[in-house]
Amino acid sequence: MARAAKARIALATAAASAVALLACTPAQAASHPVAPSRFEPGSCILFTPTAGNRHLRVFIDAGHGGIDPGGTGTTLAGKAVSEAPLNVLVARDAAVLLRRRGFSVVLSRTGPNPVARPQPGDFSGGLYTVLGERRELVARNLCADLSHANIVLGIDEDAAASPQAAGSVTLYDAQRPYHAANLRLATLVQRDVLASLAASGHSVPNLGVHNDVGYGDLASAGAQAYGHLTLLGPPKRGYLRTPTRVPAALIEPLFLTNAPEATLADSAAGQEAIARGLAHAAEQFLDR
Ligand SMILES: [Zn+2]
């Protein structure tokens, strides 16, 4: 398909763009056993609108980061790709689009750094320990909460044992008091991202919108007992004191373990298409 040459949309970082760094408050740091003492440089960043101001704020979490690459795969050209950097590119693209439409955006990550400043015991053998991964996930919730965002969006990519597995899925939590809003947001995200990918010439299988039970983020016993995604799920005594508090959805638009989808995920056109879908869904949700 012929595509007009187009400069990649880039996150404006000029002095005038009013970038603010949010810091973890002492009360927050004391609020949870694994709460970070502070965020890493480039993490938990508020971006003000670049045109107009709707006084609405969107929190976007780019999954993984730091020493956690997330899911990995190989493009059709044989290039190894991983989730963490691709998720940031999509989140940044979505931020640019939303800011142009008058929204403030808070990004959990803007680069390779993790969200939380790591602490002793967070690493072992070049990997996050259960504690370290937990701290990273809780840090995202704390950032979302600090940001007073109106909605929370999570961007990840999928991975599976079979290279044939393909398609987009969006998750929401059905146990929160505002589950109907979660479902509405997730439905918009799934629909708009698939429509945007299709409009860019890439039809992706629609794997649907699902509640997050059984999609828990960790292999630990505690995470399995919890059963939800930390970014979306309810509080649980002894496990999660700091749930997010506003409508939330997390999309996994492509499988990195599927070579054609990994190729799309690694392309600026694919990232921008996903970002356009996310931004459109957020705008539609918040306009009502
Ligand atoms: Zn992921």
Side-chain angles (χ1 to χ4, degrees):
M1 188 181 91
R3 287 177 57 83
K6 174 168 72 75
R8 181 177 181 108
I9 49 183
L11 200 65
T13 50
S17 68
V19 176
L21 179 64
L22 299 168
C24 212
T25 65
Q28 277 199 316
S31 70
H32 199 286
V34 299
S37 57
R38 56 166 298 173
F39 298 112
E40 283 290 76
S43 297
C44 198
I45 305 289
L46 167 67
F47 296 92
T48 53
T50 50
N53 190 347
R54 298 196 197 193
H55 303 286
L56 289 167
R57 194 167 283 187
V58 178
F59 174 84
I60 306 176
D61 176 47
H64 311 282
I67 62 166
D68 169 20
T72 57
T74 309
T75 67
L76 290 167
K79 178 184 173 189
V81 292
S82 65
E83 257 188 273
L86 300 181
N87 293 341
V88 166
L89 291 170
V90 173
R92 291 172 56 129
D93 284 349
V96 170
L97 297 171
L98 285 164
R99 294 172 71 202
R100 283 183 195 156
R101 304 286 294 174
F103 296 95
S104 297
V105 179
V106 174
L107 298 182
S108 63
R109 295 195 297 123
T110 61
N113 276 352
V115 179
R117 164 127 326 163
Q119 294 178 28
D122 285 2
F123 305 131
S124 176
L127 297 172
Y128 278 124
T129 58
V130 169
L131 176 68
E133 186 143 2
R134 193 81 201 112
R135 194 184 317 283
E136 268 298 283
L137 294 172
V138 167
R140 289 154 211 247
N141 284 22
L142 293 179
C143 175
D145 213 18
L146 259 180
S147 73
H148 299 290
N150 298 92
I151 58 171
V152 165
L153 297 176
I155 171 73
D156 269 79
E157 300 287 0
D158 223 332
S162 165
Q164 261 66 55
S168 175
V169 63
T170 299
L171 304 173
Y172 72 101
D173 195 282
Q175 290 182 15
R176 309 306 302 276
Y178 44 87
H179 54 85
N182 288 341
L183 175 58
R184 180 170 164 257
L185 178 60
T187 302
L188 286 168
V189 165
Q190 173 78 354
R191 187 192 73 191
D192 287 353
V193 168
L194 283 171
S196 179
L197 284 165
S200 77
H202 302 280
S203 283
V204 169
N206 184 352
L207 303 183
V209 170
H210 300 279
N211 85 53
D212 70 342
V213 172
Y215 285 88
D217 2 54
L218 296 173
S220 72
Q224 283 180 3
Y226 178 58
H228 301 267
L229 291 169
T230 297
L231 189 68
L232 311 180
K236 184 184 176 187
R237 190 185 298 270
Y239 186 74
L240 182 63
R241 293 185 199 169
T242 51
T244 54
R245 300 173 194 281
V246 292
L250 182 148
I251 188 166
E252 306 201 49
L254 300 165
F255 277 77
L256 294 188
T257 41
N258 176 274
E261 289 200 352
T263 306
L264 182 57
D266 189 48
S267 69
Q271 292 151 13
E272 289 173 14
I274 294 164
R276 274 194 297 276
L278 281 173
H280 189 234
E283 184 170 15
Q284 280 192 295
F285 183 88
L286 291 168
D287 267 350
R288 192 167 92 172

